[in-house]
Amino acid sequence: MSGESAVLISDITKRYTMPTPVWERVTKRSESGRSLAALDGIDLDVRRGETLALVGESGSGKSTLAKILVGSVAPSSGELRYDGEPMPVPRGKDLTRRIQMVFQDPYSSLNPRISVRSLLSELLLLHRIVPRRQVRTECVRLLNLVGLDDDALDAYPSQFSGGQRQRIAIARALAVRPDVLIADEPVSALDVSVQATILDLFTSLQEELGLTILFIAHNLAVVQHLSQRVAVMYLGRIVEVADTDEIFANPQHPYTQSLIASIPRMSGDSANEAAMLEGEPPSPIDIPSGCRFHPRCPVAVDACRSTDPELRAVSIGGAGEVHESACILADALPSAGTRIAVQHKEEQ
Ligand code: ADP
Ligand code: MG
């Protein structure tokens, strides 16, 4: 099954030049700033009507990619297409409207001094979504769509809980009737008890509105029941892409296997410590040679120190999807992840 492309991301890179530390300038050890590769050749197809999860540890480049997609950060190189057409720079009002973002922290993303009514009405009028006389009705419709009552209209963000604020942030993104919603870790800042209700809201919005959603998370468990496909990121690269069920049942990158192993199981057992990831990811200023995951990889062989593996098709998953992995050992990996995923399913 390969759906129609909504956003096609081709070989996108993003480099930042870090200022030279003062002591290096004084001692003339370094003349120019050091370069940091936040994104290093990203290829990804976000298909119309799907929820695609983008998962990886903190610092892997997820937010940088999100900002590039909404046009708030310019890529260093590469190409973006929307509906098959190159995205113009600057983006233009219509394309800006079509791709909206929901941020991680609803406490900092909403201005506490602007009422919900003003927040939504301004956008509705700016983008001429409805005539002025219908603005109030449309604001109420939006609030109801995200599970809030009519009386939220005249309240201020500070009067709401974190989960309710995130609903307002989602209503703000939906006000301009976007086609694509990019949600950057939208439940990470919320209490565990409300996370599931916000995840359910994303599921129902996708179904009701036919939205295309790129859902970013650092935890694979969050996206298991929400997304149709998963792309796993590590240090500025996509290292595995597959249908969600397939990635849980048959992970083909040791990094994905470790992420799955670190999910606490339903029985309340602790995660599988043997397969858990150790340490922090390396800095993108100093990317390891060969496979960038090799220093933390439990199954690395000599070739992994010198060969930088490309993302390649390794198998066809259950849903007829091509399963891609950037591991030279894919197809021949120890099946630790498989075993864990199967247990995980049986316990549900
Ligand atoms: P994630 O969202 O996956 O945690 P980010 O996209 O925020 O990752 O960051 C990826 C890498 O790029 C990190 O090492 C981060 O420090 C770096 N980075 C992000 N934005 C900037 C910036 N404006 N200037 C310099 N480095 C940045
Ligand atoms: Mg981030």
Side-chain angles (χ1 to χ4, degrees):
M1 276 198 309
S2 60
E4 192 187 323
S5 175
V7 184
L8 187 62
I9 302 164
S10 307
D11 203 15
I12 288 286
T13 66
K14 179 65 190 177
R15 293 184 182 280
Y16 289 107
T17 303
M18 307 304 285
T20 311
V22 174
W23 69 89
E24 288 190 13
R25 263 185 278 156
V26 172
T27 58
K28 292 226 163 57
R29 279 207 289 153
S30 168
E31 292 290 321
S32 58
R34 294 169 300 171
S35 172
L36 174 155
L39 298 176
D40 192 7
I42 300 289
D43 292 307
L44 193 61
D45 185 10
V46 187
R47 299 175 193 157
R48 200 153 284 293
E50 77 171 344
T51 295
L52 172 62
L54 184 65
V55 177
E57 281 163 296
S58 175
S60 55
K62 307 179 300 294
S63 295
T64 303
L65 186 60
K67 288 175 199 159
I68 288 173
L69 295 179
V70 293
S72 66
V73 162
S76 305
S77 64
E79 194 191 45
L80 293 176
R81 283 177 180 265
Y82 182 79
D83 258 350
E85 300 292 325
M87 289 192 185
V89 182
R91 199 146 282 189
K93 198 167 162 188
D94 188 53
L95 200 50
T96 303
R97 177 188 71 72
R98 283 172 188 273
I99 307 179
Q100 290 290 311
M101 181 132 146
V102 175
F103 298 89
Q104 177 172 347
D105 183 1
Y107 289 87
S108 58
S109 70
L110 295 174
N111 184 333
R113 279 181 282 279
I114 295 181
S115 72
V116 173
R117 182 200 289 260
S118 323
L119 178 82
L120 298 176
S121 340
E122 260 176 47
L123 284 168
L124 294 172
L125 292 171
L126 177 71
H127 287 272
R128 299 174 195 262
I129 304 294
V130 290
R132 187 173 284 276
R133 64 191 150 73
Q134 284 172 24
V135 164
R136 187 183 187 282
T137 315
E138 179 64 6
C139 288
V140 169
R141 188 189 72 83
L142 286 164
L143 290 175
N144 297 163
L145 185 65
V146 298
L148 292 171
D149 289 338
D150 302 18
D151 53 12
L153 197 59
D154 288 306
Y156 288 79
S158 58
Q159 294 169 263
F160 295 97
S161 69
Q164 289 169 325
R165 284 179 198 218
Q166 202 55 300
R167 288 178 193 270
I168 295 167
I170 295 167
R172 173 179 62 182
L174 296 177
V176 299
R177 303 194 183 168
D179 300 327
V180 179
L181 195 61
I182 298 176
D184 189 2
E185 301 208 34
V187 300
S188 301
L190 304 179
D191 286 348
V192 175
S193 57
V194 297
Q195 288 187 0
T197 63
I198 300 293
L199 295 176
D200 288 345
L201 175 60
F202 277 98
T203 304
S204 67
L205 289 174
Q206 186 207 12
E207 284 166 7
E208 271 177 54
L209 307 176
L211 280 172
T212 301
I213 302 178
L214 182 67
F215 191 101
I216 299 176
H218 60 253
N219 178 346
L220 255 175
V222 163
V223 302
Q224 185 169 13
H225 303 291
L226 179 81
S227 63
Q228 285 85 55
R229 288 194 305 142
V230 176
V232 178
M233 260 185 109
Y234 188 74
L235 216 53
R237 287 265 179 90
I238 305 280
V239 296
E240 183 160 8
V241 185
D243 181 76
T244 305
D245 290 341
E246 164 75 6
I247 220 161
F248 277 90
N250 185 29
Q252 288 294 325
H253 195 287
Y255 178 57
T256 313
Q257 294 190 340
S258 307
L259 291 179
I260 291 173
S262 65
I263 299 173
R265 286 185 256 130
M266 303 306 265
S267 59
D269 287 0
S270 59
N272 178 341
E273 284 177 24
M276 292 254 279
L277 271 180
E278 299 217 341
E280 297 285 312
S283 158
I285 296 180
D286 201 7
I287 290 178
S289 66
C291 171
R292 56 196 60 209
F293 184 59
H294 90 256
R296 298 170 83 196
C297 182
V299 295
V301 295
D302 276 351
C304 303
R305 276 181 261 282
S306 51
T307 308
D308 187 3
E310 300 244 328
L311 193 61
R312 63 184 170 99
V314 290
S315 60
I316 303 292
E321 283 284 349
V322 176
H323 185 158
E324 292 174 285
S325 163
C327 173
I328 56 170
L329 302 173
D331 282 334
L333 284 170
S335 58
T338 311
R339 209 164 7 88
I340 293 156
V342 169
Q343 276 178 6
H344 187 63
K345 275 195 174 157
E346 282 167 358
E347 280 160 15
Q348 283 178 358

